[in-house]
Amino acid sequence: MRLALAQLEIESAAVEDNRERAEAAVAEAADRGADLVALPEIFNVGYFAFDAYQRAAEPVEGPTLSRIADAAREHGIGVLAGSIVEDLAETESVETPADEGLANTSVLFDRDGRRLAVYRKHHLFGYESAEARMLVPGESLGVAEFEGATVGMTTCYDLRFPELYRDIAAEGADLILVPSAWPYPRVEHWQLLPRARAVENQLFVAAINGSGEFDDAELLGRSTVYDPWGTTLAGTGDDPDLVVTDVDLDRVAAVREEFPAWRDRRL
């Protein structure tokens, strides 16, 4: 599988401009031969634009995800649209964990723009953030089949909770995608946590961050793909970029056979 991570420039509350950048990144990833491209957390509004959450919230069938689905179909590429602020009360076609409220929601589309999975962020960030106060946490695991791969989905702060990744790995995931809005100064944590999740579960982890400045935060970029040994396959700096790399999914079984930590677990 050829995987692309779209480290987008994200402007606070500039929804239309941010959507257009996402559509352009999907097109560029397809031009570069990617099978699947992943977008950052709350790429249309900007994670730290809390004042805009309520007015910019959309259902899963809303304009942002509809346009990403159209882009996936037009360019023949899978897309993890990770994520938007979802208006749960307005969503109609997907089972929701609450009758109302807002959620931090990612959707995986196939090459025909069909929804394969919906994931709502489990762990909501409360440290110097309004997310935990404003949003409803998700309850269901994000796991789907995409062209022979079992793809797991988590979001940003979820990285600090390894039990979620173990549950996803137990569902057979080969690759876990982690759309994020990770800010300075926690660079070391951003480099450590996805690598640790890859090593302890012996699978691929791809951490997709944004790029941009908000009133009181700056995203640090550094989107990276880690293999089941925790080795960096591809990554970038803090500026907008498109990371493209080939992921050999057979490596998951090979690494687990060579170093059988997964088999040696005591449950």
Side-chain angles (χ1 to χ4, degrees):
M1 173 191 291
R2 180 161 289 182
L3 175 65
L5 312 183
Q7 184 168 294
L8 302 176
E9 178 184 359
I10 301 174
E11 292 185 76
S12 179
V15 173
E16 183 57 30
D17 290 342
N18 292 333
R19 285 175 182 157
E20 291 177 359
R21 291 188 190 96
E23 290 169 319
V26 171
E28 182 182 351
D31 287 345
R32 294 178 61 179
D35 301 296
L36 175 63
V37 58
L39 308 177
E41 182 180 19
I42 309 191
F43 65 89
N44 60 335
V45 180
Y47 175 86
F48 291 95
F50 300 117
D51 290 345
Y53 275 22
Q54 189 67 56
R55 68 175 181 272
E58 307 175 17
V60 165
E61 305 87 358
T64 296
L65 293 180
S66 294
R67 285 171 59 170
I68 297 301
D70 289 344
R73 185 181 311 109
E74 177 183 354
H75 300 287
I77 184 173
V79 182
L80 177 64
S83 57
I84 68 163
V85 179
E86 179 192 6
D87 186 336
L88 294 168
E90 295 297 321
T91 289
E92 297 177 353
S93 61
V94 181
E95 183 179 351
T96 61
D99 293 330
E100 59 184 17
L102 308 179
N104 186 333
T105 302
S106 300
V107 177
L108 180 65
F109 296 100
D110 69 10
R111 295 181 192 265
D112 295 319
R114 293 184 297 241
R115 281 197 303 267
L116 298 179
V118 175
Y119 173 72
R120 298 178 176 93
K121 187 176 182 179
H122 279 206
H123 301 94
L124 302 179
F125 196 47
Y127 174 78
E128 297 182 355
S129 167
E131 182 183 40
R133 173 174 52 82
M134 297 182 68
L135 305 187
V136 175
E139 301 292 341
S140 301
L141 286 183
V143 182
E145 298 298 316
F146 176 77
E147 299 184 355
T150 303
V151 179
M153 293 158 280
T154 67
T155 307
C156 200
Y157 190 45
D158 285 334
L159 277 167
R160 296 184 181 274
F161 302 89
E163 60 276 12
L164 174 60
Y165 290 78
R166 185 53 55 98
D167 288 344
I168 293 171
E171 290 293 316
D174 308 296
L175 165 68
I176 301 179
L177 302 174
V178 193
S180 301
W182 205 280
Y184 287 101
R186 294 183 290 277
V187 176
E188 291 80 5
H189 297 191
W190 175 246
Q191 294 170 329
L192 170 66
L193 292 169
R195 174 177 276 132
R197 302 294 84 85
V199 170
E200 67 198 6
N201 293 296
Q202 297 183 298
L203 44 65
F204 292 91
V205 173
I208 311 97
N209 204 10
S211 178
E213 296 186 19
F214 296 81
D215 289 342
D216 55 359
E218 180 181 0
L219 301 181
L220 58 82
R222 293 172 171 80
S223 299
T224 308
V225 182
Y226 299 97
D227 78 359
W229 284 114
T231 302
T232 298
L233 292 183
T236 189
D238 56 3
D239 293 326
D241 201 357
L242 185 71
V243 178
V244 181
T245 190
D246 291 317
V247 174
D248 180 3
L249 298 171
D250 292 335
R251 288 280 293 153
V252 174
V255 168
R256 290 178 179 178
E257 180 66 25
E258 179 181 349
F259 191 84
W262 184 256
R263 186 183 66 208
D264 292 340
R265 292 173 301 143
R266 298 183 65 198
L267 303 178

